[in-house]
Amino acid sequence: MDEFRETELKKRISESTIRRLSLYHRALEIVEENGSETVSSKELAKIEKLTPAQVRKDLSFFGSFGTRGLGYPVKDLKAKIARILGIDRVWNIALVGVGNIGSALVSYKEFARQGFKIVKLFDNDQRKIGSNHKGIVVSDIKNIVSELSGSEIEMVVVCVPGSVAQFVVNDIVKAGLRAILNFAPVNLKVPDDVFVRNENMAMELEYLSYALVNNHSKNRVK
Amino acid sequence: MDEFRETELKKRISESTIRRLSLYHRALEIVEENGSETVSSKELAKIEKLTPAQVRKDLSFFGSFGTRGLGYPVKDLKAKIARILGIDRVWNIALVGVGNIGSALVSYKEFARQGFKIVKLFDNDQRKIGSNHKGIVVSDIKNIVSELSGSEIEMVVVCVPGSVAQFVVNDIVKAGLRAILNFAPVNLKVPDDVFVRNENMAMELEYLSYALVNNHSKNRVK
DNA sequence: CCTATTTTGTGAAGGCTTTCACATAGATAA
DNA sequence: TTATCTATGTGAAAGCCTTCACAAAATAGG
Ligand SMILES: NC(=O)c1ccc[n+]([C@@H]2O[C@H](COP(=O)([O-])OP(=O)(O)OC[C@H]3O[C@@H](n4cnc5c(N)ncnc54)[C@H](O)[C@@H]3O)[C@@H](O)[C@H]2O)c1
Ligand SMILES: NC(=O)c1ccc[n+]([C@@H]2O[C@H](COP(=O)([O-])OP(=O)(O)OC[C@H]3O[C@@H](n4cnc5c(N)ncnc54)[C@H](O)[C@@H]3O)[C@@H](O)[C@H]2O)c1
């Protein structure tokens, strides 16, 4: 039953392919709501502004999910992508730094619906420790290693200031966790077997700035 | 004086190069704080976990900024990258949807320090319209087209629910704006000359999920 | 001034990703 | 059953990006 696990495949799957799988999954939710039983690579591509060939190629790395002349079965493909991404289960998550952005994430119910459950909060502010956020009591950051070690938590969202993010991450690694979503604008140093994804909003604004200044339009006249 | 504007260069600059320029800029701030006058491609690469060759290649698209045997002048290179990215000025920004994530962004002072000034807020909730957030009175979304048209605002951050994001964006485009940072988990349809960057946190969590499930470690044993 | 050392800038090579294009297989209809 | 149509799956080609490797340029030290 492990036919989609990458470790058993010859080819390395690229990061962009995995990111697009997320998009296909999202697109399939839309198609499913519309009540369609099947969907073509062309339709999926249109929803996420990609090419049909890209969609087919990406999916083909993991198997033959479609039917020629018909397309892909919506429910089935969605389940298969969920399985590939590992989102056919619940992930328990801890969040460190219950400030502006941390609070916003805790209040966001959609994550839980998608199987990403924030179940533990940490902070170092005495006014916050012990207080209740959306049913979760904020723990003292001092205890993070012992509270995460051997717990059911496998991912951590880091929402602390950049100046302390590396220290917090060192503790997360010490506790044996291997997946970190980082909002602090710093490059975190972690061992090779720990996965870090960065959310860098300033970088996106800077990209927009560059695009405007350089008039990067696709149909600009020279 | 426009020697770094892409429209005047032969080569197309890749998206990844521009994103890395943001990283170099951030790294240069660290180096500058350390008091160094010059910095090598090796040092810059180390800070952002890239290769020295990548750093040199990226910079070489825009000119020869370094001195052989010595490295790059920190202050000067930082200014040059800022100019390339268009962040050697202030950008006035509007934010639509003053909810969980929108409020967090408004409260984030670092953006203003970097030249990204949120100067206008919009919402459709009567309880929020007219209220004051960090010194800005929330405007009614009904007036967005007229209030943005011809204003000093050139970028918009979209923090509304996915179900209404496209409608809000249609108005932003109608008002003549061409740069959007979108937090809603939908693929926005815009004309070719409008730039959209998406912040998709669920996608990053899904990538972490995939990495954990597939044990994607760089030094894993087969 | 000369030599050793450092580090840039850059063609070329290599590697990776996307797009192309079509054989293939199943659907649909008569 | 046969013909027609549709859309997949996939090698091959094209395109793009990163890494290599080294000449060139400048420093530093004697
Ligand atoms: N707020 C935004 O819109 C935004 C945007 C982009 C990036 N970021 C980044 O996200 C991070 C958080 O930003 P924010 O605006 O929420 O800041 P914030 O100051 O509101 O929140 C930070 C929280 O971390 C806690 N904290 C500080 N040191 C800690 C420690 N050692 N251990 C545990 N908790 C600690 C603080 O008590 C606070 O609750 C920062 O790195 C910031 O640069 C924020
Ligand atoms: N909060 C998070 O952590 C988080 C994480 C990932 C993605 N997102 C996305 O960000 C967006 C905002 O999320 P949130 O948690 O802040 O939601 P929220 O409900 O707290 O805020 C949404 C705001 O938009 C306003 N709004 C609704 N319709 C509007 C309209 N037509 N015009 C103007 N304003 C309107 C609401 O009044 C509200 O103030 C959503 O698309 C969500 O999917 C949020």
Side-chain angles (χ1 to χ4, degrees), chain B residues 17-45:
Chain B
T17 291
I18 300 308
R19 293 174 62 85
R20 282 192 298 267
L21 287 188
S22 286
L23 299 182
Y24 303 150
H25 191 262
R26 179 173 88 175
L28 286 163
E29 282 187 338
I30 296 172
V31 174
E32 195 175 33
E33 268 166 37
N34 292 348
S36 312
E37 296 273 301
T38 58
V39 66
S40 67
S41 57
K42 199 174 163 189
E43 291 169 90
L44 283 178

Side-chain angles (χ1 to χ4, degrees), chain A residues 96-102 122-125 128 141 158-162 164 168 183-185 199 201-202, chain B residues 101 104-108 110-111:
Chain A
V96 188
V98 193
N100 287 311
I101 200 87
F122 292 97
D123 208 294
N124 77 334
D125 185 335
K128 288 178 182 172
I141 186 74
V158 173
C159 304
V160 298
V164 300
V168 165
F183 284 83
E199 287 284 356
M201 301 173 199
Chain B
I101 200 85
L105 293 171
V106 175
S107 305
Y108 189 54
E110 193 61 13
F111 281 152

Side-chain angles (χ1 to χ4, degrees), chain A residues 25 77-89, chain B residues 209:
Chain A
H25 191 261
L77 181 60
K78 185 161 154 263
K80 269 170 174 143
I81 291 178
R83 188 154 151 51
I84 294 166
L85 290 175
I87 54 173
D88 55 345
R89 49 160 286 183
Chain B
S209 164

Side-chain angles (χ1 to χ4, degrees), chain A residues 2-14 17-18 21 58-63 65 84, chain B residues 210 214 216 220 222:
Chain A
D2 266 336
E3 69 271 29
F4 313 131
R5 293 287 179 260
E6 186 183 330
T7 43
E8 307 193 7
L9 296 173
K10 282 125 207 155
K11 271 186 192 160
R12 216 202 133 255
I13 307 295
S14 76
T17 291
I18 301 307
L21 287 188
D58 282 338
L59 296 176
S60 78
F61 292 135
F62 301 96
F65 305 140
I84 294 166
Chain B
Y210 171 82
N214 293 279
H216 234 222
R220 73 168 184 269
K222 257 280 176 151

Side-chain angles (χ1 to χ4, degrees), chain A residues 52-76:
Chain A
Q54 181 86 82
V55 174
R56 293 200 300 277
K57 187 59 121 182
D58 282 338
L59 296 176
S60 78
F61 292 135
F62 301 96
S64 296
F65 305 140
T67 305
R68 290 170 193 223
L70 191 61
Y72 300 92
V74 175
K75 241 177 92 81
D76 200 52

Side-chain angles (χ1 to χ4, degrees), chain A residues 73-214:
Chain A
V74 175
K75 241 177 92 81
D76 200 52
L77 181 60
K78 185 161 154 263
K80 269 170 174 143
I81 291 178
R83 188 154 151 51
I84 294 166
L85 290 175
I87 54 173
D88 55 345
R89 49 160 286 183
V90 168
W91 290 95
N92 291 303
I93 300 180
L95 184 148
V96 188
V98 193
N100 287 311
I101 200 87
S103 303
L105 294 171
V106 176
S107 304
Y108 189 57
K109 295 196 190 75
E110 193 61 13
F111 281 153
R113 197 193 64 74
Q114 295 176 264
F116 296 106
K117 277 178 69 177
I118 297 175
V119 296
K120 200 150 193 66
L121 303 176
F122 292 97
D123 208 294
N124 77 334
D125 185 335
Q126 289 305 323
R127 289 162 299 179
K128 288 178 182 172
I129 295 167
S131 75
N132 192 306
H133 276 254
K134 300 277 160 182
I136 308 168
V137 176
V138 178
S139 301
D140 193 329
I141 186 74
K142 276 182 194 155
N143 308 319
I144 188 167
V145 178
S146 62
E147 294 205 28
L148 291 184
S149 297
S151 75
E152 82 287 0
I153 294 168
E154 291 178 80
M155 295 181 181
V156 184
V157 180
V158 173
C159 304
V160 298
S163 51
V164 300
Q166 183 65 62
F167 302 114
V168 165
V169 165
N170 292 347
D171 279 349
I172 294 166
V173 170
K174 212 177 284 172
L177 275 71
R178 306 205 302 124
I180 296 167
L181 178 56
N182 172 43
F183 284 83
V186 293
N187 190 318
L188 298 169
K189 306 287 189 267
V190 295
D192 273 356
D193 63 343
V194 176
F195 310 111
V196 176
R197 303 294 297 179
N198 295 297
E199 287 284 356
N200 193 334
M201 301 173 199
M203 186 188 272
E204 301 304 332
L205 289 175
E206 290 175 1
Y207 194 94
L208 288 174
S209 163
Y210 172 82
L212 285 180
V213 163
N214 293 281

Side-chain angles (χ1 to χ4, degrees), chain A residues 6-7 19 22 47-49 85-86 91 178 187-188 197 199 204 206 209-210 214-216 222, chain B residues 6-7 19 22 48-49 85-86 91 178 187-188 197 199 204 206 209-210 214-216 222:
Chain A
E6 186 183 330
T7 43
R19 293 174 62 85
S22 286
I47 296 173
E48 297 294 351
K49 238 185 266 145
L85 290 175
W91 290 95
R178 306 205 302 124
N187 190 318
L188 298 169
R197 303 294 297 179
E199 287 284 356
E204 301 304 332
E206 290 175 1
S209 163
Y210 172 82
N214 293 281
N215 197 35
H216 233 224
K222 258 278 175 157
Chain B
E6 186 181 329
T7 44
R19 293 174 62 85
S22 286
E48 296 295 351
K49 240 186 261 142
L85 291 174
W91 291 96
R178 306 203 303 122
N187 191 318
L188 298 169
R197 303 294 298 180
E199 286 284 353
E204 301 304 332
E206 289 176 1
S209 164
Y210 171 82
N214 293 279
N215 197 34
H216 234 222
K222 257 280 176 151

